[in-house]
């Protein structure tokens, strides 16, 4: 498996939630146990289809990327579920970064409420970000803030940010960010 921040041990979290029912947690566990088998030869669409058949959630799917599918919990929070091993690591990494970063920089990260193996619950934010010069300027300022406080924002782009309730730009996808200069992700990129 591919570790970030020496974090493979962090992937295995206790599956307790105040927002998800036991049945929903069991469904997530069942899907997560299938990831290894399906990851390599299925397309994202096929993985989403198998995941949703296993999960049988009542929630609306509000988005997905290459590695995670995202559901709206209808209470101001969203649930991200891994579709791949990178998704598993991304969820664990976001929880780790949010809970261990410098307090000064926390306000730029979409808040994490709860997480377990393969899933994470975050605040729902407005993701309608226009592709405009003004927003790119904000993105660069955000990137510098993160770097200043020891976070290397790998894969930071307009697709991966949103606006919080104060209309400030926050990162919604920081699964590949690292606080570790020895991260293997950096070895690939540089
Ligand atoms: N906090 C949030 N609030 C509202 N919508 C969100 C939030 N987080 C994610 N989403 C929606 O879900 C989509 C996928 O989420 P995310 O980018 O975290 O997945 P990913 O699989 O890690 O993406 P990538 O392909 O970049 O690796 C986002 O583009 C966005 O539309
Ligand atoms: Mg993304």
């Amino acid at each position: 498996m591919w570790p970030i921040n020496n974090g493979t041990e962090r992937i295995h979290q206790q599956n307790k939630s105040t927002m998800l029912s036991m049945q929903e947690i069991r469904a997530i566990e069942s899907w997560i146990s299938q990831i290894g088998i399906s990851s390599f030869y299925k397309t994202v669409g096929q993985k989403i289809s198998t995941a949703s058949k296993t999960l049988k959630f009542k929630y609306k799917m509000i988005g997905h990327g290459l590695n995670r599918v995202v559901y709206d919990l209808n209470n101001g929070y969203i649930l991200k579920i891994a579709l791949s091993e990178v998704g598993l690591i991304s969820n664990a990494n976001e929880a780790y970064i949010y809970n261990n970063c410098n307090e000064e920089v926390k306000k730029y990260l979409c808040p994490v409420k709860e997480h377990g193996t393969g899933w994470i619950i975050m605040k729902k934010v407005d993701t309608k970000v226009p592709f405009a010069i003004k927003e790119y300027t904000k993105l660069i300022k955000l990137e510098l803030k993160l770097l200043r406080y020891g976070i290397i924002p790998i894969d930071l782009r307009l697709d991966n940010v949103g606006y919080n309730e104060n209309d400030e730009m926050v990162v919604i996808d920081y699964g590949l960010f690292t606080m570790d200069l020895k991260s293997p992700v950096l070895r690939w990129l540089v």
Side-chain angles (χ1 to χ4, degrees):
M1 205 181 271
W2 170 52
I4 293 179
N5 295 343
N6 302 321
T8 37
E9 69 282 3
R10 286 204 303 270
I11 289 170
H12 297 287
Q13 301 289 334
Q14 275 207 316
N15 284 324
K16 280 192 200 143
S17 173
T18 58
M19 290 190 186
L20 303 173
S21 66
M22 275 316 285
Q23 195 185 0
E24 287 165 340
I25 296 269
R26 294 284 164 264
I28 296 172
E29 286 171 350
S30 168
W31 161 245
I32 296 300
S33 70
Q34 298 175 45
I35 279 183
I37 326 161
S38 64
S39 254
F40 294 104
Y41 57 90
K42 280 189 174 167
T43 63
V44 174
Q46 286 168 331
K47 283 187 232 177
I48 291 174
S49 161
T50 319
S52 48
K53 275 179 206 146
T54 309
L55 294 167
K56 296 190 190 77
F57 279 168
K58 60 185 178 198
Y59 310 114
K60 188 175 172 233
M61 196 185 293
I62 57 159
H64 71 82
L66 296 176
N67 299 298
R68 292 176 290 178
V69 61
V70 180
Y71 291 91
D72 187 353
L73 294 180
N74 287 320
N75 58 1
Y77 290 89
I78 57 97
L79 167 67
K80 292 190 193 185
I81 299 195
L83 291 173
S84 63
E85 293 211 352
V86 175
L88 280 176
I89 293 166
S90 295
N91 282 342
N93 203 37
E94 280 172 352
Y96 177 81
I97 289 178
Y98 188 74
N99 291 316
N100 293 282
C101 68
N102 187 300
E103 284 301 314
E104 291 293 323
V105 90
K106 223 170 189 168
K107 56 179 174 287
Y108 304 110
L109 301 175
C110 187
V112 173
K113 179 80 175 157
E114 296 180 341
H115 66 108
T117 305
W119 61 273
I120 191 164
I121 295 178
M122 274 187 186
K123 261 238 163 89
K124 182 180 177 185
V125 299
D126 172 14
T127 55
K128 283 186 242 50
V129 179
F131 286 87
I133 299 279
K134 203 172 138 210
E135 306 313 306
Y136 277 106
T137 310
K138 283 188 204 164
L139 193 73
I140 292 164
K141 285 187 180 157
L142 182 59
E143 185 160 11
L144 293 173
K145 279 265 170 36
L146 292 160
L147 284 168
R148 182 172 167 190
Y149 290 104
I151 298 179
I152 301 154
I154 298 162
D155 202 31
L156 179 61
R157 48 194 160 89
L158 287 185
D159 283 336
N160 287 335
V161 297
Y163 305 102
N164 66 14
E165 60 278 15
N166 302 322
D167 215 23
E168 292 154 339
M169 192 177 266
V170 291
V171 189
I172 56 166
D173 176 1
Y174 44 102
L176 297 180
F177 286 15
T178 182
M179 300 199 291
D180 175 10
L181 279 172
K182 293 196 183 104
S183 166
V185 185
L186 287 175
R187 282 207 294 278
W188 292 346
L189 295 174
V190 188

